[in-house]
Amino acid sequence: MGQIAMVHTLTVVSHEDVDATGLSISDALRAVEDTYRMEAASGSIVPVKIEMHTGRDGAFKLAMPASIPGWRQSGMKWAAFFPGNSRWGVPDSHSVIILDDWDTGLPVAVVEGSLITNLRTAACAAVLAKFTVPRAPTTVTLVGAGMLARWTLRALVETFPAIETVRVVSRTAATRDRFCEEMREEVACELVPLGDAEQAVRGSQLIVSSTVPCPEPSLRSAWLDDDAVAVPIDGLYVWDDSLFATAGRFVTDHREFLAGQYDQRPDRIAWQDWEEIASILDGSSARQATGPTVALPTGKASIDVRLGWEVLARVAERTVPAAPLIEGRVHAH
């Protein structure tokens, strides 16, 4: 059989290139909901994240592959968290998204992932909230006032135009005051900095947390109203364990990820008993909450891959400069 020669070019898309595409929170919200709906209709292949600890305190790396047959898109996010990197002038968290050709499996692009990660994480929180809140919230609480909280606020006000008040609670007054001062230039709702977490949570219809790991839970489930929705972007460690007895509904976007993560104690529900957002979107699940709802985004790689392909398409359309890293010939038999 003859040989078919193919030229293989691997394109590198830098942070500046990604930023130049104009990828927005609106794009991310649409991509998240579209991906959830595609997964509900035809499925996806998203293995549980492979986590590797390096021996350095708190540092780890993640391999996050994903494949979406309905769009013939696949790839893998390679992410790392190395606390203390700032002393070398580099971010603690960083990632790249490797995109590969559907037919050959050859890598076609490496896309810098920091903006995509922030957009995806915030958008997942907003979309999960959209399909789990009993009514459009007017009062929202943000726990944490870092960069991710900024993207989360942008995602929430676009998803829920009825929001009137956003309470912002964080560990330091300077952080939450600066957050509110800066974000008042972007959003029309009232931003209220608070130092008391209980005051911030009680009476709020939607509570979204994005904090750094802490040794003790900072939020109490007893503060939640029965119709409140908690979206812990940072994982469930921020809430006390009684949340599992208090909440009446548990929703996530990747149940298998929860196996071994949140179901090891007898007072926690099994991962199989969590609802998947896909089952809500396709109508196969119609559970009613009998108490507060927990909606847990897991950082699903299928959405990183979807947004990575969106960026690559925009790079091609808008001729954003992107450096060819490897060019060679592959012979297929």
Side-chain angles (χ1 to χ4, degrees), residues 181-298:
E181 181 180 354
E182 293 174 356
M183 295 306 293
R184 285 187 185 111
E185 299 179 6
E186 293 191 33
V187 299
C189 55
E190 181 185 17
L191 300 180
V192 181
L194 293 171
D196 186 324
E198 181 175 359
Q199 182 184 1
V201 170
R202 284 195 182 275
S204 183
Q205 293 132 6
L206 176 61
I207 301 92
V208 184
S209 55
S210 57
T211 63
V212 297
C214 52
E216 296 294 332
S218 56
L219 303 179
R220 303 287 181 264
S221 59
W223 303 340
L224 291 168
D225 287 354
D226 283 345
D227 60 352
V229 175
V231 183
I233 293 175
D234 43 15
L236 293 173
Y237 63 80
V238 73
W239 288 94
D240 63 352
D241 284 334
S242 63
L243 179 67
F244 288 87
T246 303
R249 190 183 191 191
F250 297 86
V251 179
T252 187
D253 56 6
H254 194 194
R255 285 194 309 181
E256 287 76 8
F257 171 79
L258 303 182
Q261 298 285 329
Y262 300 116
D263 62 350
Q264 294 302 295
R265 290 177 44 160
D267 58 346
R268 297 191 172 190
I269 67 170
W271 65 271
Q272 297 95 331
D273 293 330
W274 287 69
E275 287 178 83
E276 280 229 5
I277 184 66
S279 66
I280 295 173
L281 293 175
D282 69 12
S284 61
S285 176
R287 299 186 198 178
Q288 298 297 315
T290 55
T293 294
V294 176
L296 178 65
T298 62

Side-chain angles (χ1 to χ4, degrees), residues 95-114:
S95 63
V96 293
I97 300 166
I98 304 165
L99 305 175
D100 56 76
D101 180 76
W102 183 262
D103 294 312
T104 65
L106 288 169
V108 296
V110 178
V111 181
E112 201 280 328
S114 59

Side-chain angles (χ1 to χ4, degrees), residues 311-331:
V311 165
L312 189 61
R314 293 187 182 198
V315 166
E317 290 173 359
R318 305 182 187 196
T319 62
V320 175
L325 179 65
I326 299 172
E327 186 168 327
R329 288 191 177 272
V330 177
H331 292 86

